């Protein structure tokens, strides 16, 4: 049963909240709770400072979780995977679609974002294995991929994200999205930009302004030092 028919059928049958079933892979599963940071707030210094990490996680991410909970309650929905829920916003109750798109997107993107970073030197400094091969095949070299990713991050006007994604044909691509949208959101993101996230970078000013002020390219350049390539490989292979 697809999700739309599940919602329709279950909605007709029960008055309680509706559990939207999860079908996506475990690498992308996101529950309804605020996850703890997988490292101490200072662990990414000097590239990302502790105060930025603390405010980003404890205030911004926590705010998305709270507001998502409010929107789901208002929509009479429940889910065990928010990533699945936001993959087709058009199937959700119309009056909560914007709130779920923004806050569900914010929750999912940040949950992944924390995992896509790790203290410098704690893992491989560059992609390895199948992910490295795919990057070479799609972009020519790791450096070319980083340059294209950095361009996407720099050119995103205002708030948003830069992404390395795996498309349905298995090829890698770089895209960017505004606000808290992400490349799994059908009908929100252009079809050409849809794909499974392998790596994503928050380029909202709240992610870097305390330390880097207006110098977004400096933040992007520093961020490569704390990319968790093991997690990126897991996302690539699990997609
Ligand atoms: Mn953010």
């Amino acid at each position: 049963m697809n999700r739309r028919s599940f919602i329709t059928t279950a909605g007709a049958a029960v008055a309680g909240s509706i559990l939207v079933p999860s079908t996506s892979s475990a690498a992308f599963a996101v529950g309804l709770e605020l996850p703890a940071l997988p490292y101490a707030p200072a662990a990414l210094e000097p590239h990302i400072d502790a105060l930025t990490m603390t405010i980003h996680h404890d205030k911004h991410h926590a705010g998305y979780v709270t507001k998502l909970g409010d929107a789901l309650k208002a929509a009479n929905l429940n889910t065990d995977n928010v990533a699945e829920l936001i993959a087709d916003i058009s199937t959700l109750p119309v009056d909560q679609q914007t709130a779920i798109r923004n806050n569900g997107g914010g929750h999912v993107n940040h949950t992944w974002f924390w995992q896509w970073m790790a203290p410098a030197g704690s893992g491989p400094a560059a992609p390895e294995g199948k992910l490295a091969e795919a990057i070479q095949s799609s972009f020519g070299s790791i450096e070319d991929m980083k340059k294209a990713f950095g361009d996407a991050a720099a050119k995103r006007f205002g708030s948003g994200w830069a992404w390395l994604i795996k498309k349905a044909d298995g090829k890698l691509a770089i895209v960017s999205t505004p606000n808290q949208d992400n490349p799994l959101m059908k009908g929100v993101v252009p079809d050409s930009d849809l794909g499974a996230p392998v790596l994503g970078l928050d380029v909202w000013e709240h992610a870097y302004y305390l330390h880097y002020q207006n110098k977004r390219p400096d933040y992007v350049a520093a961020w490569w030092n704390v990319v968790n390539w093991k997690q990126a490989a897991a996302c690539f292979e699990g997609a």
Side-chain angles (χ1 to χ4, degrees), residues 56 60 64 110 161 180 202 204 206-207:
H56 201 172
H60 292 278
Y64 300 129
H110 287 83
W161 292 73
Q180 296 296 356
D202 188 342
W204 285 55
H206 69 224

Side-chain angles (χ1 to χ4, degrees), residues 12 25 35 56 85 93 143 159 189 223 232:
S25 74
H56 201 172
L85 183 79
E143 285 314 309
S159 298
V189 170
W223 180 70

